[in-house]
Amino acid sequence: MVKRQAYQPILITDASRSQDDQLTSRQKRYVLMMGIRVACLVAGAILVGAKAPLLWLWLPLCGIGMALIPWLAVLLANDRPPKEQHRLTNKLHHRPPAATPPTALPAEQSPHKIIDAEP
């Protein structure tokens, strides 16, 4: 009799996020960052209108925010999570790849039972 591998269930926590989930989170991040850009524009206009103290400091900060945030927002919106083989956590906690994917077991066989070869 041939020795079979132990049944190894697939854990849902090992599954990657769905494409729709990833897209939704990227869209939310983009809208949030563009909202911050609008807030920088409004804050700059209010500071100029109110002739706030330290205007020479606040206006360049608002201008930098209005210039850099859209660039970062587009970069982050088009980015995707790293592939599993490129993730840093996988390099730190090395797990050997499974030799073969888990297979379906017949109904009469228990998933926790290992059949050894008879001598």
Side-chain angles (χ1 to χ4, degrees):
M1 187 177 262
V2 177
K3 183 177 181 179
R4 289 191 179 190
Q5 288 185 340
Y7 174 74
Q8 296 174 346
I10 298 173
L11 300 175
I12 192 68
T13 56
D14 291 340
S16 61
R17 292 176 53 200
S18 71
Q19 294 289 336
D20 291 336
D21 244 3
Q22 292 176 20
L23 179 64
T24 302
S25 68
R26 291 194 321 253
Q27 287 173 339
K28 287 178 183 177
R29 188 181 324 134
Y30 180 82
V31 169
L32 175 71
M33 291 180 80
M34 293 314 260
I36 292 171
R37 178 185 184 209
V38 169
C40 285
L41 177 67
V42 170
I46 290 172
L47 289 171
V48 168
K51 296 184 178 130
L54 299 175
L55 191 59
W56 60 270
L57 174 68
W58 295 114
L59 280 182
L61 288 176
C62 289
I64 289 171
M66 288 186 303
L68 287 180
I69 288 176
W71 176 70
L72 288 173
V74 169
L75 283 179
L76 292 174
N78 289 327
D79 195 18
R80 59 163 180 74
K83 293 183 179 178
E84 284 299 316
Q85 67 262 26
H86 299 297
R87 293 191 64 170
L88 182 61
T89 56
N90 286 341
K91 291 181 181 181
L92 295 176
H93 306 290
H94 182 65
R95 288 187 286 176
T100 58
T103 56
L105 297 174
E108 65 272 356
Q109 187 177 4
S110 170
H112 302 291
K113 188 181 198 181
I114 300 175
I115 300 174
D116 290 328
E118 301 272 334

